[in-house]
Amino acid sequence: MAVPPEIDHDVIAALFQFRMATAEQLRVLHSPDAGLEQMRKRLRRFRDGGLVEAVVLPQAGKQMAWYLTEHAVRIAATFPELEGVASPPLPEDKTAARLRVGHVLAVVRTHVAFVAGARQVGDECAPLDFLPEVYHRFGEGRDGAVIPDGLLHYATKGPDRRLHRAFVEVDRGTMASEKLAAKLIGYARFHEHHPIPAPLRRTAHSQSVLPAWQQHCPAFPRLLFVLADTGERAARQRVRDLQAVADGHPMVARMLTGVKAGAARLADLEEHGPGAAVWHSLADHTRARCGAWEL
């Protein structure tokens, strides 16, 4: 099956938003009914035209990760659907690209799993419905911001169609478990933060009516921790560590009375879909695994 020419535009947009991707990831996102070789030919044509570069992935044979050139970034920045999306930093060279690629591709794999799973059940999750690294500043210093790996938009089907937002954290097992669990505390601080209006900054105990996050969205996004490149045993320990913080930290416990939070292995999402019973609740460790939207 031939790939429509408008896919050119869509692929460039995806590489701008996600920074890097493999040909297979781009195929699933934009032309799931086409063959992989068609996407590879398209990318090679882009490379010949000075729009993309590629690096060979470590320990992956000849599989390549593709990213935009500076020229293509300038072009993509004019696309209407990318308005407000931060321009991705370009790798200084192919060595820099190769060193960054592991986490970036794990994040793209996560979104691909949501897009493919949505297609299978008739839900809505488009190729660009995942904004990487949306910066949320609410205080001073290193602990005064949350930067999720992605902000996901997803709509479930049915007569009671619902729109969902989720902060997605992708963990490849490379950081200490304590550091991963500390992300929950950061989200709890963001959840409780009330900015003080400028005229009242010198007034004791003053705060705005709405918390900071509610100035941008009607409900606090659910928190989804995706465990990539992690075996079942290691994943269970990661989940237990997250649940321990949820149980033991009062600010996190307060947040989770109203905010949905769960953790799942990326391999399970890819095999069964995000709506399948693969998510561990962080608020209730006695609960059986459930779908992402049933947390």
Side-chain angles (χ1 to χ4, degrees):
M1 180 181 294
V3 180
E6 59 266 22
I7 298 300
D8 282 2
H9 177 103
D10 296 341
V11 168
I12 295 297
L15 287 175
F16 180 95
Q17 183 154 308
F18 295 108
R19 292 162 172 75
M20 285 186 265
T22 66
E24 173 62 10
Q25 290 171 337
L26 293 167
R27 183 195 70 81
V28 175
L29 286 175
H30 297 293
S31 53
D33 296 327
L36 175 59
E37 186 55 30
Q38 289 176 293
M39 182 59 70
R40 286 174 172 161
K41 287 180 179 178
R42 186 171 297 266
L43 290 165
R44 289 195 292 267
R45 177 164 55 81
F46 287 168
R47 181 173 57 188
D48 293 342
L51 296 175
V52 301
E53 291 287 350
V55 292
V56 177
L57 297 181
Q59 300 177 342
K62 295 183 179 181
Q63 189 177 9
M64 307 183 84
W66 299 84
Y67 59 95
L68 298 183
T69 63
E70 186 175 346
H71 173 56
V73 166
R74 289 196 299 269
I75 294 172
T78 68
F79 292 178
E81 65 269 40
L82 296 176
E83 183 178 0
V85 177
S87 177
L90 291 172
E92 293 80 8
D93 51 39
K94 291 193 175 185
T95 299
R98 192 174 294 109
L99 292 173
R100 295 183 194 175
V101 74
H103 184 74
V104 173
L105 292 187
V107 172
V108 181
R109 274 180 64 197
T110 299
H111 184 50
V112 168
F114 277 97
V115 171
R119 286 195 189 116
Q120 290 178 350
V121 298
D123 289 344
E124 298 171 24
C125 187
L128 297 183
D129 280 347
F130 186 100
L131 294 173
E133 298 179 10
V134 179
Y135 192 85
H136 299 272
R137 165 65 65 183
F138 60 89
E140 300 297 329
R142 294 177 58 187
D143 296 330
V146 293
I147 312 172
D149 287 316
L151 174 61
L152 173 72
H153 297 261
Y154 192 104
T156 49
K157 66 177 181 178
D160 57 344
R161 179 177 179 271
R162 299 188 64 184
L163 303 177
H164 303 279
R165 289 188 183 194
F167 289 136
V168 179
E169 291 284 353
V170 179
D171 170 52
R172 300 175 57 229
T174 55
M175 68 172 65
S177 190
E178 181 180 354
K179 187 175 180 180
L180 175 66
K183 289 178 178 288
L184 270 176
I185 301 174
Y187 283 111
R189 294 182 66 233
F190 179 45
H191 180 259
E192 292 199 358
H193 178 69
H194 287 71
I196 301 174
L200 302 176
R201 283 176 183 165
R202 296 179 182 273
T203 304
H205 308 300
S206 61
Q207 63 180 21
S208 63
V209 175
L210 296 177
W213 62 264
Q214 205 166 0
Q215 298 176 14
H216 304 284
C217 52
F220 197 86
R222 66 190 61 211
L223 305 176
L224 300 178
F225 287 79
V226 177
L227 309 176
D229 305 326
T230 306
E232 291 186 12
R233 182 176 179 180
R236 285 196 298 270
Q237 185 59 58
R238 291 292 217 195
V239 170
R240 284 194 292 266
D241 291 341
L242 288 166
Q243 290 170 337
V245 173
D247 288 341
H249 195 286
M251 191 181 295
V252 175
R254 285 196 302 271
M255 174 182 68
L256 295 185
T257 60
V259 175
K260 317 296 186 185
R265 292 176 65 231
L266 177 53
D268 292 334
L269 299 187
E270 292 173 324
E271 182 176 356
H272 305 290
V278 297
W279 294 90
H280 299 267
S281 170
L282 300 186
D284 181 5
H285 59 81
T286 65
R287 182 179 178 182
R289 291 192 297 174
C290 61
W293 320 120
E294 299 166 353
L295 286 163

